[in-house]
Amino acid sequence: MNNSSGGRGGHYSDRGHYNDRGNDRNGHNGTAEVIAVDVGSTWTKAGHFVLRDGRLSLVRRASTPTTVEHLPTGVLELVRILRTADNRVPAAAANRGSTAVPGRSAEAPAGGACPVVCSSSAKGGLSVVAVGIVPELTLAMARRTALSAGARISRVFSYELTEDDVRTIDQINPDIILLTGGTDGGNRQYVEHNSALLARLSARPHIVYAGNRAMTDRVRERLTAFPLAIAENILPELDAPNPEPARAAIREIFIRSITSGKGLDDLRQLTAEPVEPTPLVVYEFVGALSRLESEWGGICVVDLGGATTDVYTAGAQLQADGQRVVQKGPPPPDVLRTVEGDLGMRVSAPAAVESRREFLSGPHSPAGISRCAAGMSDYAAELRARPAHLPQSDAEHARDRLLAAACVTGALERHAGRQREVYTPQGPVWVQTGSDLRELRTFVGSGGFLAAEEPDALTPLFRCASLDERGRTILLPDRWRWLRDRDNLLPLLANAARRFQRAACLAAADHWKGGTP
Amino acid sequence: MRPCVIVLGVIGSDCHAVGNKILEAFFSDRGFTVVNLGVMVSQDEFIDAAIETGASAVLVSSLYGHGEIDCAGFRDRCIERGIGDIVLYVGGNLVIGKREPAEIQQLYHSMGFDRVFGPDADLDSVAEFLAADCAAKAVPAR
Ligand code: B12
């Protein structure tokens, strides 16, 4: 297959993803309802929402262990459960661990032929290898673009690829390679070299080329053996990032090809919208929330999982003003997603303890916490070995809290931009890289642990460093409002938002403030 | 032939922005593709930009008197980063106080700059030099 789309002005360029204006659509049959499904690596979850008074309310939810051998099985089971009026779970399904729970709002109409919207992060999600030239320029853009498309970055490569790198990529066997490098009319040498090396891969991943436009023909000629998509350059000029076309190309590949590789194509007849990567759906939702909930003054969502900590921010005043503050590197995007693969509550617990050593050995105000810090390494090793483990004692619970704090603060510190003060003879000037998040006020904690934990017990531990290891100011706020995604509705609401954007945003706002969707 | 790509910027902690804007307008007008990094640019930022844009030349400005410190080792760094053969110019108020032009030239040549200009440089002749120097080094498309 070769789904090249031409260079600049290719057909991906001007396509917005969802209805950005926030007006909501009814289902095909005129009903204002939707069943949202999120296929996670361990659990598949679904919720049936109806539109009431301009808000979505949750009628019922159901979950089942993800059916890894055939992902649609679990999805179909949940849809069947939600489309029947009562709360009965078929015996066979119950035996497998499926459950159904009524929502907080009373009357529960049957889901009938309710449209279904689904996203997936199962089977490793969407794995991308990014190739660029300068780490702070095209490679930074490639990384940012892949993350915004909902990918998991398996590896990044700057400058020239080597034979060893090619073998490494073969081992990783990613879903997609994002090949970038050079501004338009700029550097050719690295793409020339890197495309030649990629041609030697034994694996046949999708390749998205989004580098110097002048090299398009060369790349196409070199990589005929691969399913290749050509998108506009992610960095046509140094100060004019252009991530959307490459992002759209990645999304398109996920929908058209990768979902079938993961066995999700059987869902095509069932779902009203294509199956998308869950982080992409959440990314769009965070952007919509920041536009619709302007009183929040920007929003940050922290999704703390067993293996990674994802951070999404939108709507803050991200860019430097250019006067007293000089911005360096590609200007920050409107919605920023970062993923920390070494910060997580279970599989990544040992890595988290390792990379957050300094935080963990620092002072922890709530009584008793400091004592827990001592045994963290052993506890983390145990968690990695038994990822399903739940804390069995107060001491273990305290350790979980401390580990969560280490991950959240670490991920936020890395997500935020930096400023360095430069003393010039006529006064100080700040040089900024990345996003200025100091005006952000609303933080939402999501993912199993953060959803379950009372913020009051947790947030006193969230103490971020103000300076990084190079003495630069970390651009995080000094006060915030911490909301939690009780009941873990974020991925479901984000999917529901694909049909009812405004109503899903309002429901999320209510829910996080403590209301009842 | 591809238009010659040049990178401009004011090095170090120098905030003098006016001359930089003039240079950008002037060289764009003369048919160069200008990548302007503005003020307060570090050596690595110049080099990063030159690599990504495949530039033939880097024009460094220094107005505030600290050029001698900021520019030291520029060519060596280019060599280290793989663009050792790039055309390097420097201009502005390159030193503090009155010093002989020949002495200033000598100082900056020794840092690896190909040509050195004062604040009163005749930009028309700079453009001619630049076109010639870029053509001479016409590196097989970087
Ligand atoms: C305006 C100005 C400022 C403004 C700058 C505002 C801004 N954001 O741009 C402010 C008040 C902020 C300022 C601050 C300072 N300034 Co002042 N400033 C000036 C002034 C009066 C004009 C500069 C200007 O815009 N000139 C017009 C432009 C068009 O000319 P240009 O910058 O020289 O650029 C041309 C040429 O130099 C040449 N050129 C430049 N780069 C290159 C590169 C190449 C490759 C080539 C070929 C040519 C070339 O072409 C350019 C276009 O024609 C000059 C004095 C003067 N008359 O030059 C002092 C001057 C540059 N400043 C000076 C000083 C010392 C300072 C300060 C250190 C201290 C102070 N006095 O406050 C600070 C430094 C701040 C900092 N961190 O950079 C000194 C520098 C002395 C030295 N180098 O030995 C000067 C020369 C004044 C003096 N005689 O003492 N300054």
Side-chain angles (χ1 to χ4, degrees), chain A residues 73-376:
Chain A
T73 309
V75 177
L76 288 165
E77 189 171 291
L78 294 183
V79 169
R80 208 174 305 125
I81 291 171
L82 290 181
R83 277 179 172 170
T84 7
D86 55 35
N87 289 324
R88 266 197 334 248
V89 174
N95 285 342
R96 292 181 44 313
S98 302
T99 54
V101 185
R104 288 162 211 248
S105 48
E107 354 74 90
C114 176
V116 177
V117 176
C118 177
S119 71
S120 168
S121 56
K123 296 197 174 183
L126 169 61
S127 150
V128 170
V129 159
V131 182
I133 306 179
V134 175
E136 279 79 30
L137 298 175
T138 44
L139 185 57
M141 275 309 298
R143 183 196 281 272
R144 187 198 282 180
T145 302
L147 288 173
S148 75
R152 180 169 60 81
I153 308 255
S154 300
R155 193 68 185 262
V156 298
F157 298 94
S158 59
Y159 301 105
E160 282 175 1
L161 289 170
T162 65
E163 294 277 0
D164 273 353
D165 294 340
V166 170
R167 279 188 287 274
T168 305
I169 297 174
D170 263 332
Q171 272 157 23
I172 293 171
N173 194 17
D175 295 314
I176 296 176
I177 296 174
L178 177 56
L179 173 63
T180 69
T183 51
D184 279 351
N187 189 299
R188 297 156 171 253
Q189 163 201 332
Y190 291 98
V191 168
E192 175 81 36
H193 175 93
N194 290 342
S195 55
L197 266 105
L198 289 178
R200 298 186 205 166
L201 283 170
S202 320
R204 286 289 174 269
H206 290 264
I207 298 181
V208 174
Y209 176 64
N212 184 353
R213 203 172 74 87
M215 291 299 285
T216 306
D217 295 338
R218 193 86 181 104
V219 167
R220 198 179 275 129
E221 196 178 291
R222 279 268 173 69
L223 299 176
T224 42
F226 294 79
L228 177 70
I230 308 284
E232 283 177 34
N233 194 345
I234 51 165
L235 197 64
E237 292 171 44
L238 283 188
D239 52 3
N242 178 37
E244 278 306 317
R247 179 171 182 254
I250 294 173
R251 173 174 178 264
E252 200 71 26
I253 292 170
F254 184 86
I255 292 170
R256 290 237 187 92
S257 325
I258 295 172
T259 44
S260 49
K262 313 241 186 234
L264 283 162
D265 42 353
D266 293 1
L267 288 178
R268 251 173 228 168
Q269 315 232 298
L270 176 75
T271 56
E273 312 272 343
V275 177
E276 304 231 38
T278 303
L280 182 141
V281 172
V282 173
Y283 181 96
E284 296 287 336
F285 189 51
V286 171
L289 275 168
S290 77
R291 288 191 297 275
L292 287 174
E293 290 287 312
S294 51
E295 108 250 20
W296 280 5
I299 179 173
C300 173
V301 172
V302 181
D303 183 5
L304 172 60
T308 63
T309 305
D310 293 23
V311 181
Y312 305 78
T313 49
Q317 193 229 326
L318 302 171
Q319 253 208 78
D321 65 3
Q323 293 295 308
R324 305 290 286 168
V325 182
V326 180
Q327 179 89 39
K328 297 294 183 182
D334 294 339
V335 186
L336 177 66
R337 171 178 183 239
T338 51
V339 178
E340 308 306 335
D342 63 341
L343 299 176
M345 291 296 287
R346 291 296 179 261
V347 176
S348 302
V353 169
E354 184 60 37
S355 53
R356 298 294 289 153
R357 195 163 289 285
E358 207 167 314
F359 174 88
L360 290 169
S361 60
H364 309 285
S365 53
I369 290 277
S370 299
R371 267 178 285 123
C372 303
M376 281 305 272

Side-chain angles (χ1 to χ4, degrees), chain B residues 81-136:
Chain B
R81 302 271 320 262
I83 53 167
D85 53 3
I86 196 158
V87 176
L88 287 183
Y89 286 10
V90 65
N93 307 310
L94 294 176
V95 292
I96 298 175
K98 268 255 155 284
R99 268 156 87 175
E100 285 302 315
E103 192 192 330
I104 300 173
Q105 297 247 350
Q106 167 58 32
L107 176 66
Y108 281 86
H109 281 315
S110 74
M111 297 179 197
F113 288 91
D114 298 300
R115 293 182 197 275
V116 184
F117 302 91
D120 49 2
D122 169 31
L123 296 184
D124 286 312
S125 47
V126 176
E128 278 167 34
F129 282 131
L130 192 55
D133 288 350
C134 291

Side-chain angles (χ1 to χ4, degrees), chain A residues 138 159 182 185-187 328, chain B residues 2 40 45 51-53 81 142:
Chain A
T138 44
Y159 301 105
N187 189 299
K328 297 294 183 182
Chain B
R2 288 197 307 147
M40 300 184 71
E45 285 172 82
I51 293 173
E52 281 302 349
T53 61
R81 302 271 320 262
R142 178 178 287 115

